[in-house]
Amino acid sequence: MRSIGLDVHRDFCEVAIVEAGEVRSAGRIETTPAALELFAGSLGATDRVALEVTGNAWEIARIIEPQVGRVLVVHPGDTG
C-alpha cells in the first residue's frame, strides 16, 4: 500500500509518495482534468491519497477516487 500526498496549487500539484517507509517526491502534475486522469490511472486500488481543501480539491478528489482505495480531503489546519 502506498500513501500519496498532493500539495494542491491552482495550476499544479506537488506529489509525494510514501512506500515501504520511504518518502520520495514524484514531481508535479498539472491540475487539468486530462493530466489528473492520467495520474489517477497510474494509481492502484490499495493506494491512499490525501490532499488539502482548496478551491479545486473536490474536483481533483472526484477524478482520483475511482482509482484508489481511499481519498482524504483535509483542512490545512489539521495537517500540522
Side-chain angles (χ1 to χ4, degrees):
M1 172 178 21
R2 296 184 299 178
S3 296
I4 294 102
L6 300 178
D7 182 11
V8 180
H9 298 265
R10 188 185 72 202
D11 298 323
F12 64 91
C13 295
E14 290 282 347
V15 181
I17 298 174
V18 178
E19 187 171 23
E22 298 289 323
V23 179
R24 65 182 171 89
S25 172
R28 288 183 176 179
I29 57 169
E30 293 180 19
T31 54
T32 64
L36 290 165
E37 288 171 11
L38 183 64
F39 172 70
S42 73
L43 302 175
T46 61
D47 289 337
R48 298 178 300 180
V49 178
L51 58 148
E52 290 180 337
V53 173
T54 62
N56 54 354
W58 295 111
E59 182 63 14
I60 292 169
R62 184 192 66 75
I63 292 169
I64 292 172
E65 195 166 32
Q67 303 298 321
V68 299
R70 185 167 186 198
V71 175
L72 288 150
V73 181
V74 298
H75 186 277
D78 294 335
T79 61

